[in-house]
Amino acid sequence: MDTVQLKIKHRPFCFSVKGHVKMLRLVFALVAAVCCLADGALIYRKLLFNPSGPYQKKPVHEKKVL
């Protein structure tokens, strides 16, 4: 009997379904990392220039009357 040899088709990683999913995860991870760094930089800048916070309590007698 003849032996049947199966040819295994080698598909590049980026063309397989798993490859697309893994590349999408990588892209989303990179975008999330960039957003976290930008958020941290903006919070640092905000606290550096306004350390008391966004709201300053004023005494009652300084309220404006309309």
Side-chain angles (χ1 to χ4, degrees), residues 21-41:
V21 171
K22 287 186 178 185
M23 285 192 293
L24 281 174
R25 283 183 187 166
L26 177 66
V27 170
F28 285 129
L30 291 174
V31 170
V34 168
C35 289
C36 286
L37 288 173
D39 186 43

Side-chain angles (χ1 to χ4, degrees), residues 16-62:
S16 67
V17 175
K18 280 186 179 180
H20 285 294
V21 171
K22 287 186 178 185
M23 285 192 293
L24 281 174
R25 283 183 187 166
L26 177 66
V27 170
F28 285 129
L30 291 174
V31 170
V34 168
C35 289
C36 286
L37 288 173
D39 186 43
L42 290 173
I43 289 174
Y44 173 76
R45 185 173 152 228
K46 179 181 178 288
L47 290 175
L48 186 67
F49 292 120
N50 190 11
S52 62
Y55 303 107
Q56 294 178 356
K57 294 183 179 180
K58 296 180 181 177
V60 176
H61 66 277
E62 288 185 14

